[in-house]
Amino acid sequence: MALDLAELLGEHWHQYARAHRQHLCAAHYRAVHRVLACRTRALGGRLYKCGSCQTKHYAYHSCNHRSCPQCGALDQQIWTAKQEARLLPVPYFMVTFTLPAQLRSLCLSYPEILYPLILRQSAAALQDVTATKTGGARLGFTSVLHTWGRQIQHHPHLHLIVPGVAFHPKLQTLVHPAKDSFLIHYQPLAARFRSRLHAALKNDHPEIYQALTHEQRHVLSPAKNWNVQLKHVGSGRTALRYLARYVQRSAFAAKRLIGYDKHGNVLLRWTSSATGKSAIMALHPHEFIRRWLLHVLPKGLTRIRHYGFLGSAARKTRLRIRLMLGELGEPTPKLPEPEPFTCQCCGGMLTFLRDLKPIHPMRGPP
């Protein structure tokens, strides 16, 4: 029998919260309350009536929380359409920065500091290496923070979608890669990311740096090689659509929750990155909730960021680059058409009757 997250939380959240209160924060409570209220009377909604069969329909509001697997589908489609309209006629690359396992606990202890920090330092590292190679030219790219692996474990990493062209601001010229399938070497990029993160922690966040363990300091030293991957991804459209599946969604899709086994464990479908085969894993409900909460980010933390000539303040530069590539202006995004809201009984048209007020305001932690 299929299971949804709200049902699981309704059955197990209060017991989990009592047992793990010391590990919970306001963002966790906010996420749980939102998911439990999603598409229910608690958030209010609208009342409709079918003009054919006279059936009344209650349409309750979505919570729109980014940790809710029921929400985000329309936002994802809109984001994809807007980003596809901005694609340039050049080769594209996917750059992936993975934070070493020894440092991941820092993200859980200081998420409001570490997540923005790795976003900034990875972007700066890519610009530094590119500027060194091209004599000062700068890239434009989009960075997306992911905090989960396929088993919804904590696995913070960054995906960057990078068009294969750099713009030299002083010379007002474009610099293309020597080969369409090669951007830069990964080793200097990984070393630069490590050194920048090390310097940022040491100089800007000494309270965190002083508390690092010997193992954490060692992994930040030049003796360690970090994991950065660069991959040619053609026109960028396929990679963008792959990334779009995660940018506005939670750590797992709703369809991956299968139900309970005979022992009361939660069954979750996942796909191995090594073999590409699907499997089903069983997790105790409290372990499933713990893993889900690992990916609830602090309120206001932006995990999608645009840098260089793809930044919001660089529209004129971006249009100039597009003109230099032989294109006049950016195409209008092809936004998704709204689906007709019809009667589930007979397919007839629905007439709006009235708004439904929320039953109670959303509450914070007790």
Side-chain angles (χ1 to χ4, degrees):
M1 183 178 179
L3 176 68
D4 62 56
L5 180 60
E7 181 183 352
L8 188 153
L9 291 173
E11 295 173 355
H12 301 283
W13 168 247
H14 292 295
Q15 185 180 1
Y16 179 90
R18 284 195 299 269
H20 303 278
R21 187 179 298 270
Q22 70 274 20
H23 301 300
L24 300 176
C25 65
H28 294 147
Y29 286 99
R30 188 183 303 114
V32 171
H33 291 154
R34 283 286 175 180
V35 170
L36 288 173
C38 187
R39 304 183 189 185
T40 70
R41 296 163 60 192
L43 294 181
R46 310 188 85 185
L47 177 62
Y48 296 86
K49 185 177 182 180
C50 177
S52 300
C53 67
Q54 307 303 307
T55 301
K56 290 184 177 180
H57 294 265
Y58 295 85
Y60 297 116
H61 294 314
S62 300
C63 69
N64 291 320
H65 195 284
R66 58 186 171 188
S67 294
C68 178
Q70 292 192 97
C71 297
L74 180 58
D75 291 338
Q76 170 190 316
Q77 295 173 26
I78 293 173
W79 185 88
T80 305
K82 289 182 177 180
Q83 299 310 310
E84 286 187 0
R86 298 172 67 181
L87 287 173
L88 296 172
V90 297
Y92 270 75
F93 300 85
M94 173 88 82
V95 183
T96 304
F97 293 86
T98 302
L99 195 66
Q102 296 88 337
L103 301 178
R104 293 171 192 172
S105 62
L106 297 178
C107 294
L108 299 177
S109 300
Y110 310 98
E112 68 285 350
I113 295 176
L114 261 294
Y115 287 137
L117 191 63
I118 62 175
L119 278 161
R120 288 196 304 271
Q121 299 309 325
S122 60
L126 180 58
Q127 294 286 29
D128 287 350
V129 175
T130 301
T132 299
K133 180 179 179 180
T134 61
R138 295 180 61 80
L139 294 168
F141 50 90
T142 297
S143 298
V144 179
L145 168 67
H146 285 183
T147 60
W148 59 85
R150 298 183 182 230
Q151 297 179 330
I152 61 174
Q153 77 276 24
H154 188 233
H155 186 260
H157 57 286
L158 305 164
H159 288 306
L160 284 63
I161 298 289
V162 186
V165 63
F167 178 71
H168 201 298
K170 291 185 178 180
L171 302 179
Q172 295 289 295
T173 57
L174 299 182
V175 180
H176 297 267
K179 298 180 180 179
D180 286 349
S181 59
F182 179 79
L183 185 64
I184 55 176
H185 285 283
Y186 78 91
Q187 288 178 325
L189 180 57
R192 187 60 177 156
F193 176 45
R194 178 202 54 74
S195 65
R196 288 195 65 100
L197 188 59
H198 179 231
L201 287 172
K202 186 176 182 179
N203 299 328
D204 301 335
H205 304 282
E207 73 287 356
I208 298 177
Y209 186 79
Q210 294 300 325
L212 294 178
T213 65
H214 173 75
E215 187 180 22
Q216 289 172 331
R217 292 197 182 201
H218 179 63
V219 81
L220 283 166
S221 73
K224 297 298 289 185
N225 294 322
W226 283 28
N227 182 16
V228 174
Q229 297 177 330
L230 291 92
K231 182 180 179 181
H232 176 234
V233 290
S235 67
R237 194 174 303 274
T238 301
L240 192 61
R241 290 179 179 178
Y242 163 78
L243 208 58
R245 293 186 294 176
Y246 304 98
V247 296
Q248 302 289 348
R249 308 304 291 272
S250 72
F252 67 95
K255 63 182 180 182
R256 291 179 58 194
L257 266 181
I258 300 173
Y260 294 109
D261 65 14
K262 62 181 180 180
H263 303 293
N265 294 316
V266 177
L267 298 176
L268 179 73
R269 191 185 308 277
W270 69 287
T271 303
S272 170
S273 58
T275 65
K277 295 182 179 180
S278 295
I280 296 174
M281 62 184 305
L283 296 172
H284 187 280
H286 285 196
E287 173 60 14
F288 180 88
I289 294 173
R290 185 194 71 82
R291 292 194 188 192
W292 174 68
L293 290 176
L294 292 173
H295 314 293
V296 174
L297 300 178
K299 187 177 182 180
L301 194 154
T302 303
R303 61 189 187 94
I304 307 169
R305 305 192 181 189
H306 305 284
Y307 294 95
F309 58 74
L310 290 185
S312 58
R315 176 174 170 79
K316 289 184 178 180
T317 301
R318 189 166 65 251
L319 292 178
R320 179 177 178 82
I321 292 172
R322 188 175 286 275
L323 183 62
M324 294 170 73
L325 291 171
E327 294 192 352
L328 183 62
E330 289 182 347
T332 302
K334 297 180 181 179
L335 300 179
E337 295 287 339
E339 296 183 2
F341 192 34
T342 57
C343 178
Q344 297 177 358
C345 301
C346 68
M349 295 301 296
L350 298 179
T351 301
F352 169 73
L353 297 181
R354 61 184 175 89
D355 286 313
L356 303 171
K357 295 182 178 180
I359 291 180
H360 57 75
M362 298 304 300
R363 299 170 293 151

